[in-house]
Amino acid sequence: MSAVRVRFAPSPTGYLHIGAARTALFNWLYARQTGGKFLLRVEDTDAQRSTDESTRSIIEGLEWLGLADYDEEIVFQSRNADKHREAALRLVNEGKAYRDFTPKEERGDGNVKQEIAERARKGAGEGADHRSNPFRDLPLEESEARAGAGEPYAVRLKVAREGRSRFEDVVYGAQERDYSEIEDLVLLRSGELAPLYNLSVVVDDIEMRITHVLRGQDHLTNTHKQALIYEALGAPIPRFAHLPLILAPNKAKLSKRKHGEVVSLTTYRDRGFVAAAFRNYLALLGWAPPDDQEMLSLAEMVEKFSLEGIHRSNAVFNFSESDARQWTDQKALWMNSEYIRTMPLAELLPLVRPELEAAGLWKPEYAEGAGAAWLEKTVELIRQRFYTLKDFSGQGRAYFADDFEYDEAAVAKNLKKEPRLKELLPALAERIERAEPFDAETCEQALRALADEAGVKAGLLINAARTALTGQAVGPSMFDIFAVVGRDRSAERLRAAAALV
Ligand code: GLU
């Protein structure tokens, strides 16, 4: 078999949809696994809807996911329009396509049923169907003469009257469609002879020697038409593997228009996802390795990926538009938290830094020496409970700045319920100031000793101290918090919190 060549072919008419990002990933995985080539083709033929901004955001999205190592120059489809036109006109010369001179006002819109009705209305006669286009069998000389005289025309593929189109889809199996269900599809639009989508895709895929087409299942209908174009052009058809759709919780197609930013890949970058985590999550939307392993490094994905492992059933993206905590799929958030919790610190720190910088929390001293050591210790401690990188500057703010907010529920639960804390917190501050050497262990001894002497449970002081030092009700071990927040800041915050009791 010839070497695998696959392509990702987005239309730059908006941001990168997560479904498209998944398509890119599957193509990339397949290329990397087989030692084949991964190509990018920007399908910018719709001049009205395509924008440079969208192209940029798609490329940025691929870069973020680590999929931007295309093996050849990026192909911009609009630059190939002449080739697409030539191919269509060649088919006209070979009698496999024809010029349709139907005046604009009488043209159907490519809808088979409408075309049949239209032709019947015009009295094309008994048994008229959408193949009864009067120009279908116009002699070539006449067709050329009329075109030469400047009469506008569209070019249509001459689909056989009888038979079935067939192709084998790697995921969905044998696909058949009766020719009677396929219109004589337009290849070049009347007037400016702009090549239409199905023609451009096929001509480019042939030119780029694409061996496997992996794309969304919503393209299955197009594939039947494209198979006919391959055949007419005398080119072998590639292997098709259509991917299941990604659906919204109500099983509607997940769309940018209806569901907004949750569908856009860059949202995940901007809301604190680790690229590797989101990539891992995307890989499992419609595919699973044979052993069902969920946390997969890129190397493991490449090793385990197979077209046969792609599911037929659509994947559901579970999120709730009315609940901010469930703004995206819970599994995506879980996966991200797992990465944040377990990834090598050396890989996490470079992601935390821009987060702190953007929030104005970064200090130059974190770059080296004792400051860097403190940062590592702190990140290691607090990452255990975080879901996104945003949490480092949000819930984690108190570790990096003194002007943090207290969670109201935490204050009510841990500070306001016990009036004795008004005296106990300053007393704890004093003990903490005297802890020597200042570390988690000596802080623990100091706190427990005070609890014993005062006749209260250690838990009371632990919870109160946690809220005093971090503003939160939950977090890492309290004694470790003392150690990273430091002697003076800890004491200060304990005293300040007494005022909240
Ligand atoms: N440009 C098409 C799209 O964005 C994809 C075409 C293809 O993969 O063949 O849906």
Side-chain angles (χ1 to χ4, degrees):
M1 199 175 90
S2 57
V4 165
R5 292 174 63 85
V6 292
R7 84 306 193 269
F8 172 51
S11 304
T13 54
Y15 41 61
L16 185 56
H17 185 296
I18 52 173
R22 193 262 324 246
T23 298
L25 175 61
F26 282 20
N27 275 287
W28 185 92
L29 287 172
Y30 193 55
R32 294 295 168 258
Q33 181 190 65
T34 54
K37 302 276 189 233
F38 171 68
L39 313 179
L40 175 65
R41 180 171 74 228
V42 178
E43 303 211 316
D44 56 347
T45 45
D46 186 338
Q48 243 114 59
R49 296 176 59 224
S50 301
T51 64
D52 290 345
E53 194 197 338
S54 165
T55 301
R56 265 196 305 279
S57 106
I58 289 170
I59 290 176
E60 254 181 43
L62 294 174
E63 279 168 359
W64 183 65
L65 285 176
L67 308 179
D69 53 346
Y70 329 113
D71 293 304
E72 290 173 11
E73 288 285 297
I74 299 176
V75 172
F76 288 89
Q77 188 161 63
S78 61
R79 296 182 193 161
N80 294 342
D82 284 339
K83 284 187 195 149
H84 306 156
R85 250 187 304 275
E86 270 163 37
L89 293 172
R90 179 153 61 79
L91 294 181
V92 171
N93 287 333
E94 292 171 0
K96 294 172 181 163
Y98 60 95
R99 293 189 182 85
D100 181 354
F101 295 98
T102 308
K104 203 172 182 178
E105 30 323 322
E106 292 174 29
R107 248 179 267 141
D109 63 355
N111 176 317
V112 175
K113 285 209 187 89
Q114 195 182 324
E115 289 204 19
I116 294 173
E118 184 71 5
R119 302 223 184 277
R121 190 180 61 74
K122 284 193 297 189
E126 194 67 13
D129 67 7
H130 57 294
R131 303 272 184 272
S132 311
N133 188 313
F135 299 103
R136 193 175 143 105
D137 297 311
L138 195 69
L140 192 57
E141 295 94 273
E142 198 182 332
S143 163
E144 272 167 4
R146 287 175 75 162
E151 192 176 335
Y153 61 89
V155 170
R156 285 179 180 269
L157 188 70
K158 203 183 269 186
V159 179
R161 283 182 196 272
E162 274 164 28
R164 291 172 82 69
S165 92
R166 268 191 200 92
F167 66 88
E168 186 70 23
D169 188 84
V170 180
V171 178
Y172 291 91
Q175 302 291 311
E176 293 200 10
R177 176 155 297 182
D178 208 276
Y179 285 159
S180 65
E181 292 169 39
I182 305 175
E183 79 278 9
D184 277 356
L185 53 128
V186 177
L187 302 178
L188 302 180
R189 194 184 287 129
S190 177
E192 70 280 27
L193 292 183
L196 290 192
Y197 168 70
N198 283 309
L199 173 71
S200 300
V201 167
V202 171
V203 175
D204 283 351
D205 280 343
I206 294 172
E207 167 104 1
M208 293 165 75
R209 291 176 288 122
I210 297 304
T211 58
H212 293 71
V213 172
L214 279 60
R215 63 183 169 202
Q217 187 247 66
D218 46 339
H219 280 288
L220 267 173
T221 315
N222 284 327
T223 306
H224 283 283
K225 298 175 182 175
Q226 292 172 17
L228 296 176
I229 302 177
Y230 277 103
E231 203 179 305
L233 290 170
I237 66 170
R239 297 217 67 190
F240 290 102
H242 287 86
L243 313 177
L245 300 179
I246 301 174
L247 302 177
N250 66 356
K251 308 283 152 72
K253 209 176 140 187
L254 197 60
S255 86
K256 305 174 190 178
R257 197 171 44 77
K258 272 195 256 147
H259 302 102
E261 64 164 18
V262 70
V263 174
S264 165
L265 183 78
T266 44
T267 298
Y268 295 86
R269 179 196 61 192
D270 299 344
R271 294 190 66 161
F273 267 75
V274 173
F278 199 67
R279 190 172 57 204
N280 192 157
Y281 169 74
L282 280 179
L284 299 178
L285 281 176
W287 171 77
D291 56 6
D292 281 329
Q293 184 183 336
E294 289 206 304
M295 301 282 289
L296 294 141
S297 69
L298 199 54
E300 287 170 320
M301 274 186 234
V302 168
E303 188 203 314
K304 296 182 184 203
F305 187 77
S306 77
L307 299 182
E308 289 67 34
I310 297 173
H311 307 315
R312 288 186 188 189
S313 49
N314 293 327
V316 177
F317 195 67
N318 272 312
F319 65 101
S320 159
E321 282 165 291
S322 55
D323 180 350
R325 277 168 311 171
Q326 296 190 35
W327 66 272
T328 187
D329 192 274
Q330 293 302 292
K331 184 162 173 185
L333 282 168
W334 168 79
M335 182 81 70
N336 203 45
S337 72
E338 284 297 296
Y339 270 78
I340 288 178
R341 204 168 62 77
T342 61
M343 68 197 283
L345 207 53
E347 287 169 31
L348 179 60
L349 287 167
L351 305 178
V352 173
R353 178 171 177 161
E355 190 47 52
L356 295 180
E357 282 172 339
L361 297 174
W362 178 261
K363 298 193 186 88
E365 71 212 47
Y366 295 159
E368 54 189 349
W374 176 84
L375 181 71
E376 270 185 37
K377 197 170 151 195
T378 303
V379 167
E380 178 62 51
L381 180 67
I382 63 183
R383 69 168 165 164
Q384 304 299 333
R385 288 169 169 268
F386 286 174
Y387 280 87
T388 74
L389 296 169
K390 292 275 157 214
D391 291 336
F392 285 97
S393 60
Q395 289 175 48
R397 185 177 178 91
Y399 294 90
F400 305 101
D402 293 323
D403 60 336
F404 60 91
E405 282 174 17
Y406 296 90
D407 176 65
E408 268 178 45
V411 171
K413 183 162 160 260
N414 293 336
L415 297 177
K416 287 203 190 298
K417 276 210 181 128
E418 176 52 75
R420 291 184 63 196
L421 285 170
K422 222 175 189 38
E423 287 79 46
L424 286 171
L425 285 171
L428 181 59
E430 246 169 69
R431 308 262 174 136
I432 291 292
E433 271 170 335
R434 278 190 269 119
E436 204 59 61
F438 185 81
D439 59 26
E441 216 172 295
T442 54
C443 288
E444 173 164 11
Q445 285 158 7
L447 183 144
R448 291 195 190 281
L450 176 62
D452 275 352
E453 288 165 32
V456 297
K457 286 206 178 102
L460 174 77
L461 295 182
I462 289 173
N463 290 334
R466 180 176 289 115
T467 300
L469 265 65
T470 68
Q472 309 281 320
V474 290
S477 148
M478 188 54 226
F479 308 114
D480 290 328
I481 297 177
F482 280 126
V484 300
V485 171
R487 188 194 300 271
D488 295 344
R489 288 201 302 169
S490 294
E492 235 168 77
R493 290 179 190 185
L494 290 169
R495 291 196 176 98
L500 299 172
V501 175

